[in-house]
Amino acid sequence: MGVPSGQFLRMVDELAEVEQADSSNYTSFSVRGKGFGYYWPRTETVGLKQTLSEQVALVAERPEVFEVQFTAGGYGWVVVHLAKIDADELAELVYEAWRLSAPEALVEEHPLP
């Protein structure tokens, strides 16, 4: 179990119209100007946008894998420890984060593979 950082970044690269912004401590990801994720290389963690109910469920089920990051605009962001999650689950969470930010027409053009 565990997802290397490079594999996570490839997951994000496979999504449509992703914009990446690098800063000194993290990289942020957005689609058409709406943020859906962050990557912190120092801690090998990612922050992903989720629904509020999904945020609560993920953290309650496995607090060793997920942490509450923050809530904003009706969404709950979670911190994911890459070393403690499998690739299939992470791919679903990354897609869901992207889907929550992408326009509906773009989502329809790019369903979950």
Side-chain angles (χ1 to χ4, degrees):
M1 183 178 287
V3 177
S5 297
Q7 186 176 359
F8 162 73
L9 294 170
R10 284 189 298 278
M11 288 176 188
V12 173
D13 285 343
E14 292 175 2
L15 299 169
E17 298 188 32
V18 172
E19 301 154 351
Q20 180 176 319
D22 296 315
S23 76
S24 61
N25 295 320
Y26 63 90
T27 300
S28 63
F29 305 99
S30 61
V31 56
R32 295 197 183 169
K34 293 187 177 181
F36 70 88
Y38 296 91
Y39 166 61
W40 295 277
R42 185 180 60 76
T43 58
E44 295 193 7
T45 56
V46 299
L48 296 171
K49 186 179 200 177
Q50 299 294 303
T51 63
L52 290 170
S53 59
E54 186 69 9
Q55 177 197 49
V56 170
L58 289 169
V59 174
E61 280 178 18
R62 289 180 292 156
E64 71 282 2
V65 179
F66 303 103
E67 298 173 30
V68 171
Q69 185 177 12
F70 62 90
T71 58
Y75 296 99
W77 290 70
V78 293
V79 173
V80 182
H81 294 267
L82 292 177
K84 298 178 181 179
I85 191 167
D86 71 42
D88 290 340
E89 183 178 21
L90 181 61
E92 288 180 23
L93 293 172
V94 168
Y95 179 82
E96 180 65 11
W98 174 86
R99 186 192 69 76
L100 290 170
S101 297
E104 188 174 319
L106 187 61
V107 173
E108 290 173 6
E109 292 172 22
H110 302 277
L112 180 65

